[in-house]
Amino acid sequence: MLLPTPRRIVPATGRFTLDHRTAVHAVGPAAPAAELLRTLLRPATGLPLPPSPDGAVLLAVDPATAAELGPEGYRLTVTPEAVRLHAAAVAGLLHGIQRLRQLLPAEALLDGPALGVRWELPCLTVTDRPGFPWRGLMLDVARHYLPVSYLHRTVDLLALHGLNVLHLHLTDDQGWRMPVYAHPRLTAVGSVRARTMTGRAGSGRFDDRPHGGTYTKADLRGLVRYAAERGVTVVPEIEMPGHARAALAAYPRLGNVPGRRLDVWTEWGVCENVLGVHDEVLAFCADVLDEVMEIFPSPYIHLGGDECPTAEWESAPAARRRAAELGLASPKELHGWFLGRVGEHLLSHGRRPVCWAEDGSSPGLPPEFTVMPWRDADHGLQAARRGHDIVMAPYRATYLDYPASDHPDEPLGQEGAVVDLRAVHGLDPAPAHWPDEVRARVLGAQAQLWTEFVPGPEEADRRLHPRLAALADRVWNPDTDWPAFERALAGHRPRLAALGLPTGR
Protein backbone atom coordinates (compact mmCIF):
# COMPACT_ATOMS: atom_id res chain seq x y z
CA MET A 1 0.00 0.00 0.00
CA LEU A 2 1.23 3.46 -0.90
CA LEU A 3 1.30 6.28 1.62
CA PRO A 4 -0.04 8.91 1.31
CA THR A 5 -3.03 7.15 -0.21
CA PRO A 6 -3.26 7.95 -3.94
CA ARG A 7 -6.44 9.29 -5.48
CA ARG A 8 -6.69 6.44 -8.01
CA ILE A 9 -4.91 3.12 -8.49
CA VAL A 10 -5.74 0.65 -11.26
CA PRO A 11 -3.94 -2.68 -10.67
CA ALA A 12 -2.73 -4.78 -13.59
CA THR A 13 -1.10 -8.17 -13.98
CA GLY A 14 2.63 -8.76 -14.12
CA ARG A 15 5.76 -7.13 -12.73
CA PHE A 16 8.59 -4.97 -14.03
CA THR A 17 12.11 -5.81 -12.87
CA LEU A 18 14.84 -3.22 -12.46
CA ASP A 19 18.32 -4.63 -13.01
CA HIS A 20 21.74 -3.55 -14.23
CA ARG A 21 20.41 -3.34 -17.81
CA THR A 22 17.64 -0.88 -16.89
CA ALA A 23 18.18 2.61 -18.30
CA VAL A 24 16.29 5.86 -17.83
CA HIS A 25 15.08 8.24 -20.51
CA ALA A 26 14.44 11.69 -19.05
CA VAL A 27 12.80 14.10 -21.46
CA GLY A 28 13.88 17.76 -21.27
CA PRO A 29 13.31 19.27 -17.82
CA ALA A 30 12.90 15.79 -16.30
CA ALA A 31 16.68 15.27 -16.11
CA PRO A 32 17.01 16.45 -12.45
CA ALA A 33 14.23 14.06 -11.45
CA ALA A 34 16.07 11.19 -13.13
CA GLU A 35 19.22 12.07 -11.21
CA LEU A 36 17.23 12.06 -7.95
CA LEU A 37 15.89 8.60 -8.82
CA ARG A 38 19.46 7.33 -9.20
CA THR A 39 20.53 9.03 -5.96
CA LEU A 40 17.69 7.45 -4.01
CA LEU A 41 17.96 3.91 -5.38
CA ARG A 42 21.70 3.47 -5.75
CA PRO A 43 22.66 2.93 -2.05
CA ALA A 44 20.46 -0.15 -1.57
CA THR A 45 20.15 -1.53 -5.10
CA GLY A 46 23.53 -0.65 -6.59
CA LEU A 47 21.76 -0.08 -9.90
CA PRO A 48 23.38 2.57 -12.15
CA LEU A 49 20.17 3.40 -14.11
CA PRO A 50 22.18 5.12 -16.87
CA PRO A 51 20.58 7.65 -19.20
CA SER A 52 19.51 6.35 -22.60
CA PRO A 53 16.97 7.45 -25.22
CA ASP A 54 15.86 3.81 -25.34
CA GLY A 55 15.50 3.47 -21.58
CA ALA A 56 12.64 1.35 -20.29
CA VAL A 57 12.00 3.93 -17.57
CA LEU A 58 10.60 7.16 -19.03
CA LEU A 59 10.28 10.41 -17.09
CA ALA A 60 8.51 13.24 -18.91
CA VAL A 61 7.04 16.65 -18.19
CA ASP A 62 3.84 17.10 -20.18
CA PRO A 63 2.17 20.52 -19.68
CA ALA A 64 -0.92 19.19 -21.43
CA THR A 65 -1.73 17.20 -18.28
CA ALA A 66 -1.89 20.34 -16.09
CA ALA A 67 -5.69 20.44 -15.94
CA GLU A 68 -5.86 16.87 -14.71
CA LEU A 69 -2.73 16.62 -12.55
CA GLY A 70 -2.08 20.19 -11.40
CA PRO A 71 1.41 21.43 -10.53
CA GLU A 72 2.25 18.50 -8.21
CA GLY A 73 0.30 15.56 -9.58
CA TYR A 74 1.68 12.62 -11.56
CA ARG A 75 0.66 9.54 -13.52
CA LEU A 76 2.77 6.42 -13.00
CA THR A 77 2.21 3.46 -15.30
CA VAL A 78 4.06 0.18 -14.82
CA THR A 79 3.85 -2.64 -17.37
CA PRO A 80 6.05 -5.75 -17.67
CA GLU A 81 8.05 -3.94 -20.35
CA ALA A 82 8.30 -0.34 -19.15
CA VAL A 83 7.77 2.32 -16.48
CA ARG A 84 6.22 5.61 -17.57
CA LEU A 85 6.06 8.60 -15.24
CA HIS A 86 4.36 11.76 -16.53
CA ALA A 87 3.62 15.06 -14.78
CA ALA A 88 2.69 18.60 -15.72
CA ALA A 89 5.72 19.97 -13.84
CA VAL A 90 8.93 18.67 -12.30
CA ALA A 91 7.37 18.78 -8.82
CA GLY A 92 4.94 16.06 -9.89
CA LEU A 93 7.78 13.89 -11.16
CA LEU A 94 9.50 14.16 -7.79
CA HIS A 95 6.36 12.89 -6.03
CA GLY A 96 6.00 10.11 -8.56
CA ILE A 97 9.57 8.99 -7.93
CA GLN A 98 8.85 8.70 -4.21
CA ARG A 99 5.82 6.49 -4.94
CA LEU A 100 7.92 4.37 -7.28
CA ARG A 101 10.36 3.83 -4.38
CA GLN A 102 7.49 2.70 -2.20
CA LEU A 103 6.38 0.14 -4.79
CA LEU A 104 9.77 -1.59 -4.56
CA PRO A 105 10.59 -3.95 -1.68
CA ALA A 106 11.11 -2.05 1.58
CA GLU A 107 14.83 -2.85 1.41
CA ALA A 108 15.08 -0.19 -1.32
CA LEU A 109 15.03 2.39 1.48
CA LEU A 110 18.10 1.01 3.25
CA ASP A 111 21.17 3.24 3.23
CA GLY A 112 23.48 0.39 2.27
CA PRO A 113 23.55 -2.60 -0.12
CA ALA A 114 20.63 -5.04 0.13
CA LEU A 115 21.87 -8.30 -1.33
CA GLY A 116 19.70 -10.99 -2.90
CA VAL A 117 16.63 -8.77 -3.41
CA ARG A 118 14.72 -8.76 -6.69
CA TRP A 119 13.86 -5.15 -7.46
CA GLU A 120 10.37 -5.66 -8.84
CA LEU A 121 7.52 -3.22 -9.33
CA PRO A 122 3.89 -4.40 -9.53
CA CYS A 123 2.12 -3.46 -12.74
CA LEU A 124 -0.47 -0.73 -12.24
CA THR A 125 -1.47 2.82 -13.09
CA VAL A 126 -1.50 5.49 -10.38
CA THR A 127 -3.13 8.84 -11.15
CA ASP A 128 -2.65 11.21 -8.26
CA ARG A 129 -2.50 14.80 -7.10
CA PRO A 130 -2.38 16.44 -3.65
CA GLY A 131 -5.41 18.00 -2.03
CA PHE A 132 -3.59 21.06 -0.68
CA PRO A 133 -0.54 23.06 -1.82
CA TRP A 134 0.90 23.46 1.71
CA ARG A 135 1.72 20.15 3.40
CA GLY A 136 4.38 20.60 6.01
CA LEU A 137 6.25 20.10 9.22
CA MET A 138 7.42 22.78 11.64
CA LEU A 139 10.66 21.78 13.33
CA ASP A 140 11.75 23.83 16.34
CA VAL A 141 15.55 24.03 16.39
CA ALA A 142 15.63 26.95 18.85
CA ARG A 143 14.65 25.17 22.08
CA HIS A 144 17.03 22.33 21.21
CA TYR A 145 19.56 22.59 18.42
CA LEU A 146 19.38 19.76 15.89
CA PRO A 147 22.36 19.08 13.59
CA VAL A 148 22.11 20.02 9.94
CA SER A 149 22.53 16.36 8.98
CA TYR A 150 19.25 15.67 10.78
CA LEU A 151 17.57 18.48 8.86
CA HIS A 152 18.68 16.86 5.60
CA ARG A 153 17.30 13.53 6.75
CA THR A 154 14.05 15.21 7.72
CA VAL A 155 13.77 16.64 4.22
CA ASP A 156 14.20 13.13 2.82
CA LEU A 157 11.38 11.86 5.03
CA LEU A 158 9.08 14.75 4.13
CA ALA A 159 9.60 14.04 0.45
CA LEU A 160 8.97 10.31 0.96
CA HIS A 161 5.61 11.18 2.52
CA GLY A 162 4.53 13.75 -0.08
CA LEU A 163 5.10 16.72 2.25
CA ASN A 164 6.53 19.83 0.63
CA VAL A 165 7.25 22.40 3.38
CA LEU A 166 9.89 22.34 6.12
CA HIS A 167 9.05 25.24 8.43
CA LEU A 168 12.23 25.92 10.40
CA HIS A 169 11.71 27.67 13.75
CA LEU A 170 15.14 29.30 14.03
CA THR A 171 14.83 31.68 16.98
CA ASP A 172 13.10 31.84 20.34
CA ASP A 173 13.66 32.91 23.94
CA GLN A 174 15.98 29.94 24.50
CA GLY A 175 18.26 30.25 21.48
CA TRP A 176 19.10 31.97 18.19
CA ARG A 177 20.39 29.61 15.49
CA MET A 178 20.94 31.65 12.31
CA PRO A 179 23.95 33.94 11.86
CA VAL A 180 23.21 37.55 10.97
CA TYR A 181 26.37 39.30 9.84
CA ALA A 182 24.97 42.76 10.65
CA HIS A 183 24.38 41.66 14.25
CA PRO A 184 26.95 38.99 15.16
CA ARG A 185 26.08 38.84 18.86
CA LEU A 186 22.81 37.11 17.96
CA THR A 187 24.76 33.88 17.64
CA ALA A 188 27.85 34.78 19.66
CA VAL A 189 25.64 35.39 22.71
CA GLY A 190 22.11 34.36 21.80
CA SER A 191 22.85 30.81 20.66
CA VAL A 192 23.87 29.47 24.10
CA ARG A 193 21.85 29.21 27.32
CA ALA A 194 23.39 28.37 30.66
CA ARG A 195 21.10 25.45 31.46
CA THR A 196 17.94 23.69 30.35
CA MET A 197 14.71 23.05 32.22
CA THR A 198 14.12 19.30 32.48
CA GLY A 199 10.45 19.42 33.44
CA ARG A 200 7.45 21.29 32.15
CA ALA A 201 7.18 25.08 32.41
CA GLY A 202 7.40 26.17 36.02
CA SER A 203 8.84 22.89 37.27
CA GLY A 204 12.01 24.52 38.61
CA ARG A 205 14.09 21.50 37.53
CA PHE A 206 17.22 22.11 35.43
CA ASP A 207 20.14 20.08 34.14
CA ASP A 208 22.74 22.84 34.75
CA ARG A 209 24.51 22.10 31.45
CA PRO A 210 25.00 24.80 28.80
CA HIS A 211 23.14 24.13 25.55
CA GLY A 212 23.85 25.81 22.25
CA GLY A 213 24.44 25.50 18.56
CA THR A 214 24.23 27.54 15.40
CA TYR A 215 24.12 26.92 11.69
CA THR A 216 26.40 28.61 9.22
CA LYS A 217 24.94 30.39 6.25
CA ALA A 218 26.55 27.71 4.09
CA ASP A 219 24.67 25.07 6.14
CA LEU A 220 21.36 26.80 5.52
CA ARG A 221 21.99 27.45 1.83
CA GLY A 222 22.94 23.81 1.43
CA LEU A 223 19.75 22.74 3.18
CA VAL A 224 17.64 24.95 0.92
CA ARG A 225 19.33 23.50 -2.17
CA TYR A 226 19.02 19.92 -0.93
CA ALA A 227 15.34 20.43 -0.15
CA ALA A 228 14.57 22.05 -3.51
CA GLU A 229 16.05 19.05 -5.32
CA ARG A 230 13.47 16.92 -3.49
CA GLY A 231 10.49 19.23 -3.98
CA VAL A 232 10.54 20.70 -0.46
CA THR A 233 10.50 24.44 0.36
CA VAL A 234 12.22 25.62 3.54
CA VAL A 235 10.20 28.36 5.25
CA PRO A 236 12.25 30.20 7.92
CA GLU A 237 10.74 31.61 11.09
CA ILE A 238 12.24 34.51 13.05
CA GLU A 239 10.14 35.15 16.17
CA MET A 240 9.01 38.71 16.94
CA PRO A 241 8.03 40.80 18.84
CA GLY A 242 7.68 38.18 21.60
CA HIS A 243 9.73 34.99 22.06
CA ALA A 244 12.76 37.24 21.55
CA ARG A 245 14.70 36.87 24.82
CA ALA A 246 17.78 35.45 23.04
CA ALA A 247 17.93 38.56 20.85
CA LEU A 248 17.49 40.79 23.92
CA ALA A 249 20.35 38.98 25.67
CA ALA A 250 22.56 39.77 22.68
CA TYR A 251 21.39 43.38 22.26
CA PRO A 252 19.74 44.78 25.42
CA ARG A 253 19.04 48.11 23.71
CA LEU A 254 16.33 46.37 21.66
CA GLY A 255 14.21 45.97 24.78
CA ASN A 256 11.85 48.16 26.74
CA VAL A 257 13.96 48.90 29.83
CA PRO A 258 17.07 51.03 29.16
CA GLY A 259 20.22 49.64 30.74
CA ARG A 260 18.73 46.26 31.63
CA ARG A 261 20.77 43.14 30.86
CA LEU A 262 19.15 39.76 30.33
CA ASP A 263 20.45 36.25 29.77
CA VAL A 264 19.24 33.73 27.23
CA TRP A 265 16.13 32.30 28.86
CA THR A 266 16.50 28.94 30.57
CA GLU A 267 12.84 28.25 31.24
CA TRP A 268 9.91 27.05 29.15
CA GLY A 269 6.62 28.85 28.69
CA VAL A 270 5.92 32.45 27.69
CA CYS A 271 8.59 35.01 28.60
CA GLU A 272 7.37 38.49 29.54
CA ASN A 273 10.35 40.22 27.88
CA VAL A 274 9.58 41.42 24.36
CA LEU A 275 11.13 43.66 21.74
CA GLY A 276 10.63 47.38 22.04
CA VAL A 277 8.80 49.39 19.42
CA HIS A 278 11.34 52.17 18.80
CA ASP A 279 12.86 52.82 15.40
CA GLU A 280 16.10 50.98 16.18
CA VAL A 281 14.13 47.78 16.68
CA LEU A 282 12.36 48.13 13.35
CA ALA A 283 15.72 48.71 11.65
CA PHE A 284 17.12 45.64 13.42
CA CYS A 285 14.22 43.50 12.20
CA ALA A 286 14.73 44.73 8.65
CA ASP A 287 18.45 43.88 8.84
CA VAL A 288 17.70 40.38 10.06
CA LEU A 289 15.00 39.73 7.48
CA ASP A 290 17.18 41.03 4.65
CA GLU A 291 19.77 38.38 5.50
CA VAL A 292 17.04 35.76 5.91
CA MET A 293 15.75 36.56 2.43
CA GLU A 294 19.27 36.24 0.98
CA ILE A 295 19.41 32.62 2.16
CA PHE A 296 15.81 31.45 1.84
CA PRO A 297 14.06 31.97 -1.52
CA SER A 298 10.74 30.80 -0.07
CA PRO A 299 7.84 33.09 -1.01
CA TYR A 300 6.79 32.88 2.65
CA ILE A 301 8.69 34.19 5.68
CA HIS A 302 7.31 33.41 9.15
CA LEU A 303 7.43 36.13 11.81
CA GLY A 304 6.09 34.15 14.77
CA GLY A 305 3.92 36.86 16.28
CA ASP A 306 2.02 34.99 18.98
CA GLU A 307 2.29 34.79 22.76
CA CYS A 308 3.46 38.38 23.07
CA PRO A 309 2.80 39.80 26.56
CA THR A 310 2.18 43.53 26.44
CA ALA A 311 2.96 44.40 30.08
CA GLU A 312 6.35 45.90 29.19
CA TRP A 313 4.78 48.10 26.50
CA GLU A 314 2.11 49.25 28.92
CA SER A 315 4.73 50.38 31.43
CA ALA A 316 7.53 51.58 29.12
CA PRO A 317 7.38 55.37 28.43
CA ALA A 318 8.76 54.93 24.90
CA ALA A 319 6.11 52.36 23.99
CA ARG A 320 3.34 54.45 25.51
CA ARG A 321 4.51 57.47 23.49
CA ARG A 322 4.59 55.39 20.33
CA ALA A 323 1.02 54.19 20.92
CA ALA A 324 -0.14 57.75 21.53
CA GLU A 325 1.60 59.05 18.39
CA LEU A 326 -0.11 56.35 16.34
CA GLY A 327 -3.51 57.13 17.84
CA LEU A 328 -3.87 53.62 19.25
CA ALA A 329 -6.37 52.98 22.03
CA SER A 330 -3.73 51.30 24.19
CA PRO A 331 -0.18 49.92 23.97
CA LYS A 332 -1.70 46.47 23.47
CA GLU A 333 -2.53 47.51 19.93
CA LEU A 334 1.17 47.94 19.19
CA HIS A 335 1.25 44.21 18.50
CA GLY A 336 -0.71 44.43 15.27
CA TRP A 337 1.08 47.65 14.30
CA PHE A 338 4.50 46.04 14.85
CA LEU A 339 3.71 42.99 12.73
CA GLY A 340 2.19 45.20 10.07
CA ARG A 341 5.35 47.33 9.81
CA VAL A 342 7.64 44.32 9.59
CA GLY A 343 5.24 42.62 7.20
CA GLU A 344 5.38 45.65 4.91
CA HIS A 345 9.14 45.17 4.65
CA LEU A 346 8.66 41.61 3.46
CA LEU A 347 5.90 42.59 1.05
CA SER A 348 8.12 45.27 -0.46
CA HIS A 349 10.57 42.48 -1.33
CA GLY A 350 7.92 40.28 -2.88
CA ARG A 351 7.54 37.92 0.09
CA ARG A 352 4.44 36.92 2.02
CA PRO A 353 4.52 37.30 5.84
CA VAL A 354 3.19 34.45 7.96
CA CYS A 355 2.30 34.45 11.66
CA TRP A 356 0.72 32.24 14.29
CA ALA A 357 -2.86 33.01 15.35
CA GLU A 358 -3.68 32.44 19.01
CA ASP A 359 -7.31 33.37 18.56
CA GLY A 360 -9.69 34.47 15.87
CA SER A 361 -9.32 38.21 16.31
CA SER A 362 -5.82 39.07 14.96
CA PRO A 363 -6.48 42.79 15.57
CA GLY A 364 -4.66 45.14 13.23
CA LEU A 365 -3.12 42.33 11.19
CA PRO A 366 -3.02 43.24 7.47
CA PRO A 367 -4.89 40.80 5.21
CA GLU A 368 -1.68 40.06 3.30
CA PHE A 369 -0.54 37.92 6.23
CA THR A 370 -1.00 34.18 5.99
CA VAL A 371 -1.99 32.93 9.43
CA MET A 372 -1.57 29.61 11.23
CA PRO A 373 -4.38 29.04 13.76
CA TRP A 374 -3.12 26.70 16.46
CA ARG A 375 -5.46 26.91 19.44
CA ASP A 376 -8.74 26.11 17.72
CA ALA A 377 -9.71 25.18 14.17
CA ASP A 378 -12.57 27.69 14.23
CA HIS A 379 -10.01 30.48 14.54
CA GLY A 380 -9.04 29.56 10.99
CA LEU A 381 -12.61 30.13 9.87
CA GLN A 382 -12.60 33.58 11.45
CA ALA A 383 -9.23 34.52 9.98
CA ALA A 384 -10.26 33.40 6.49
CA ARG A 385 -13.43 35.48 6.72
CA ARG A 386 -11.23 38.52 7.35
CA GLY A 387 -9.32 37.84 4.14
CA HIS A 388 -6.31 35.84 5.38
CA ASP A 389 -5.00 32.72 3.70
CA ILE A 390 -4.60 30.06 6.36
CA VAL A 391 -2.45 27.02 7.11
CA MET A 392 -4.17 24.89 9.69
CA ALA A 393 -2.16 23.87 12.77
CA PRO A 394 -4.66 23.06 15.59
CA TYR A 395 -2.68 21.65 18.48
CA ARG A 396 -5.07 18.79 19.26
CA ALA A 397 -4.29 17.24 15.88
CA THR A 398 -0.89 18.58 14.82
CA TYR A 399 1.31 19.23 17.88
CA LEU A 400 3.58 16.21 18.07
CA ASP A 401 5.23 17.38 21.29
CA TYR A 402 2.04 16.19 22.98
CA PRO A 403 2.00 12.51 24.01
CA ALA A 404 1.02 9.99 21.37
CA SER A 405 -0.76 7.81 23.93
CA ASP A 406 -1.53 7.50 27.62
CA HIS A 407 0.82 4.52 27.90
CA PRO A 408 3.04 4.61 31.03
CA ASP A 409 6.28 4.65 29.01
CA GLU A 410 5.19 7.64 26.92
CA PRO A 411 7.93 10.32 27.10
CA LEU A 412 7.36 13.67 28.79
CA GLY A 413 5.17 15.94 26.70
CA GLN A 414 2.85 18.88 26.98
CA GLU A 415 -0.22 18.54 29.18
CA GLY A 416 -3.86 18.77 28.18
CA ALA A 417 -4.26 16.40 25.25
CA VAL A 418 -3.23 13.07 23.78
CA VAL A 419 -2.42 13.49 20.09
CA ASP A 420 -2.53 9.91 18.86
CA LEU A 421 -2.52 8.58 15.32
CA ARG A 422 -6.29 8.78 15.05
CA ALA A 423 -6.34 12.39 16.28
CA VAL A 424 -3.76 13.39 13.68
CA HIS A 425 -5.54 11.57 10.88
CA GLY A 426 -8.80 13.15 12.00
CA LEU A 427 -7.55 16.59 11.02
CA ASP A 428 -9.86 18.26 8.52
CA PRO A 429 -8.07 21.34 7.15
CA ALA A 430 -11.12 22.64 5.25
CA PRO A 431 -14.34 21.31 6.79
CA ALA A 432 -17.22 20.83 4.38
CA HIS A 433 -19.54 23.04 6.45
CA TRP A 434 -17.27 26.06 5.93
CA PRO A 435 -18.39 28.40 3.11
CA ASP A 436 -16.71 27.79 -0.23
CA GLU A 437 -15.03 31.20 -0.23
CA VAL A 438 -13.47 30.37 3.15
CA ARG A 439 -12.39 26.86 2.17
CA ALA A 440 -10.66 28.38 -0.86
CA ARG A 441 -8.34 30.26 1.51
CA VAL A 442 -7.07 27.09 3.18
CA LEU A 443 -3.58 26.48 1.80
CA GLY A 444 -3.19 23.27 3.76
CA ALA A 445 -1.91 22.11 7.13
CA GLN A 446 1.26 21.11 8.91
CA ALA A 447 2.52 19.19 11.94
CA GLN A 448 4.51 20.91 14.69
CA LEU A 449 7.39 19.50 16.72
CA TRP A 450 8.29 21.90 19.52
CA THR A 451 11.46 20.67 21.18
CA GLU A 452 11.32 21.58 24.86
CA PHE A 453 11.37 17.83 25.57
CA VAL A 454 13.33 16.76 22.49
CA PRO A 455 17.06 16.90 23.25
CA GLY A 456 18.23 15.30 20.01
CA PRO A 457 17.47 13.42 16.78
CA GLU A 458 16.53 10.08 18.37
CA GLU A 459 13.82 11.65 20.49
CA ALA A 460 12.66 13.79 17.55
CA ASP A 461 12.16 10.62 15.49
CA ARG A 462 10.25 9.02 18.35
CA ARG A 463 7.82 11.93 18.45
CA LEU A 464 7.44 12.31 14.70
CA HIS A 465 6.88 8.77 13.49
CA PRO A 466 4.53 7.31 12.53
CA ARG A 467 2.26 10.27 13.36
CA LEU A 468 3.79 12.30 10.54
CA ALA A 469 2.53 9.65 8.12
CA ALA A 470 -1.02 10.22 9.39
CA LEU A 471 -0.81 13.94 8.71
CA ALA A 472 0.78 13.33 5.31
CA ASP A 473 -2.06 11.03 4.33
CA ARG A 474 -4.69 13.53 5.39
CA VAL A 475 -3.29 16.60 3.64
CA TRP A 476 -2.48 14.74 0.43
CA ASN A 477 -5.82 12.97 0.15
CA PRO A 478 -8.51 14.53 2.37
CA ASP A 479 -10.99 11.87 1.21
CA THR A 480 -9.11 8.99 2.79
CA ASP A 481 -10.71 7.48 5.90
CA TRP A 482 -9.28 5.87 9.02
CA PRO A 483 -9.62 2.21 7.91
CA ALA A 484 -7.91 3.03 4.60
CA PHE A 485 -5.08 4.73 6.47
CA GLU A 486 -4.70 1.77 8.83
CA ARG A 487 -4.26 -0.52 5.83
CA ALA A 488 -1.79 1.88 4.21
CA LEU A 489 0.20 2.22 7.43
CA ALA A 490 0.43 -1.56 7.81
CA GLY A 491 2.10 -1.66 4.40
CA HIS A 492 4.25 1.35 5.25
CA ARG A 493 5.66 0.06 8.54
CA PRO A 494 8.33 -2.12 6.86
CA ARG A 495 9.57 1.02 5.08
CA LEU A 496 9.78 2.93 8.36
CA ALA A 497 11.67 0.00 9.85
CA ALA A 498 14.09 -0.03 6.93
CA LEU A 499 14.76 3.63 7.63
CA GLY A 500 15.40 2.93 11.30
CA LEU A 501 12.30 4.84 12.39
CA PRO A 502 9.65 4.01 15.00
CA THR A 503 6.74 2.11 13.50
CA GLY A 504 4.19 2.68 16.27
CA ARG A 505 2.37 0.26 18.49
Side-chain angles (χ1 to χ4, degrees):
M1 299 289 291
L2 297 176
L3 202 154
T5 307
R7 297 303 184 102
R8 185 165 184 262
I9 300 180
V10 179
T13 58
R15 305 185 79 79
F16 176 88
T17 301
L18 284 82
D19 57 29
H20 284 273
R21 297 167 297 176
T22 305
V24 177
H25 179 35
V27 180
E35 188 54 38
L36 178 64
L37 178 64
R38 297 184 189 99
T39 297
L40 294 174
L41 296 187
R42 189 179 297 120
T45 70
L47 299 177
L49 301 177
S52 170
D54 301 317
V57 178
L58 170 69
L59 307 182
V61 172
D62 181 4
T65 64
E68 178 186 12
L69 300 178
E72 292 188 88
Y74 63 90
R75 180 180 293 108
L76 174 63
T77 303
V78 181
T79 69
E81 297 78 29
V83 176
R84 301 287 184 263
L85 178 59
H86 291 83
V90 171
L93 291 182
L94 299 180
H95 293 305
I97 285 169
Q98 298 291 347
R99 303 305 162 265
L100 188 155
R101 286 178 80 199
Q102 292 189 12
L103 289 169
L104 288 166
E107 291 88 345
L109 278 71
L110 294 171
D111 60 5
L115 304 178
V117 179
R118 287 180 61 84
W119 304 113
E120 293 182 334
L121 296 167
C123 292
L124 46 59
T125 298
V126 181
T127 305
D128 202 10
R129 62 185 294 173
F132 296 97
W134 187 303
R135 307 175 307 280
L137 167 68
M138 187 288 301
L139 192 58
D140 169 17
V141 296
R143 270 54 174 263
H144 276 99
Y145 172 82
L146 294 168
V148 71
S149 59
Y150 184 75
L151 304 187
H152 282 239
R153 184 166 177 268
T154 299
V155 165
D156 285 330
L157 295 172
L158 295 182
L160 176 68
H161 289 92
L163 300 171
N164 65 347
V165 174
L166 174 60
H167 167 182
L168 208 55
H169 185 83
L170 287 162
T171 73
D172 214 295
D173 296 310
Q174 299 85 1
W176 186 289
R177 307 295 175 213
M178 182 193 136
V180 177
Y181 292 165
H183 301 283
R185 287 175 58 86
L186 288 171
T187 46
V189 173
S191 67
V192 180
R193 61 177 178 266
R195 59 183 185 171
T196 296
M197 183 167 274
T198 57
R200 295 191 179 99
S203 67
R205 300 194 303 272
F206 299 88
D207 64 8
D208 293 322
R209 292 196 303 271
H211 176 83
T214 185
Y215 306 107
T216 67
K217 288 195 174 185
D219 287 338
L220 296 172
R221 288 192 177 98
L223 175 66
V224 167
R225 183 169 57 251
Y226 187 88
E229 291 168 354
R230 287 151 179 79
V232 175
T233 299
V234 182
V235 174
E237 179 180 357
I238 306 295
E239 277 271 14
M240 60 183 75
H243 285 282
R245 174 76 170 253
L248 294 172
Y251 294 102
R253 65 180 184 272
L254 300 176
N256 292 285
V257 180
R260 179 183 61 184
R261 301 193 67 82
L262 298 168
D263 58 1
V264 178
W265 213 35
T266 60
E267 300 191 28
W268 307 137
V270 179
C271 180
E272 66 179 9
N273 308 124
V274 302
L275 292 174
V277 293
H278 43 292
D279 290 344
E280 183 180 9
V281 174
L282 298 175
F284 163 81
C285 293
D287 289 343
V288 170
L289 293 173
D290 286 347
E291 295 197 32
V292 168
M293 289 187 282
E294 288 174 3
I295 294 173
F296 298 95
S298 164
Y300 295 93
I301 305 292
H302 205 299
L303 299 176
D306 69 334
E307 295 181 329
C308 178
T310 59
E312 288 194 344
W313 291 343
E314 291 170 43
S315 62
R320 294 176 64 85
R321 282 196 302 273
R322 175 72 86 176
E325 291 166 0
L326 295 168
L328 302 178
S330 79
K332 291 182 178 181
E333 295 186 6
L334 288 167
H335 180 256
W337 169 83
F338 187 105
L339 288 175
R341 282 290 303 270
V342 178
E344 286 173 5
H345 184 74
L346 293 176
L347 290 165
S348 71
H349 287 78
R351 308 296 185 96
R352 292 292 300 270
V354 186
C355 70
W356 300 105
E358 290 180 82
D359 55 34
S361 63
S362 56
L365 195 66
E368 293 84 2
F369 270 75
T370 295
V371 302
M372 292 184 171
W374 64 268
R375 287 195 185 274
D376 192 297
D378 282 345
H379 295 160
L381 172 63
Q382 297 168 38
R385 280 176 166 159
R386 285 192 306 278
H388 297 288
D389 288 343
I390 57 175
V391 176
M392 296 300 290
Y395 77 93
R396 292 183 182 88
T398 71
Y399 272 39
L400 306 188
D401 53 324
Y402 279 75
S405 75
D406 56 7
H407 196 274
D409 69 355
E410 191 70 28
L412 180 67
Q414 301 291 357
E415 290 184 293
V418 171
V419 182
D420 59 14
L421 271 172
R422 190 150 195 166
V424 177
H425 199 267
L427 173 69
D428 189 355
H433 66 272
W434 286 9
D436 289 346
E437 64 273 16
V438 169
R439 298 176 78 244
R441 289 200 169 274
V442 180
L443 300 181
Q446 64 179 37
Q448 279 61 236
L449 184 61
W450 302 104
T451 58
E452 288 95 332
F453 313 125
V454 181
E458 183 177 355
E459 187 59 37
D461 282 346
R462 181 177 180 178
R463 310 275 179 151
L464 286 172
H465 305 286
R467 289 187 289 179
L468 190 64
L471 180 121
D473 194 54
R474 198 70 171 131
V475 294
W476 182 280
N477 185 351
D479 296 328
T480 189
D481 59 19
W482 175 249
F485 171 70
E486 285 189 301
R487 293 191 296 272
L489 182 60
H492 193 59
R493 283 194 167 103
R495 301 181 196 116
L496 296 177
L499 291 163
L501 297 172
T503 61
R505 295 188 177 92

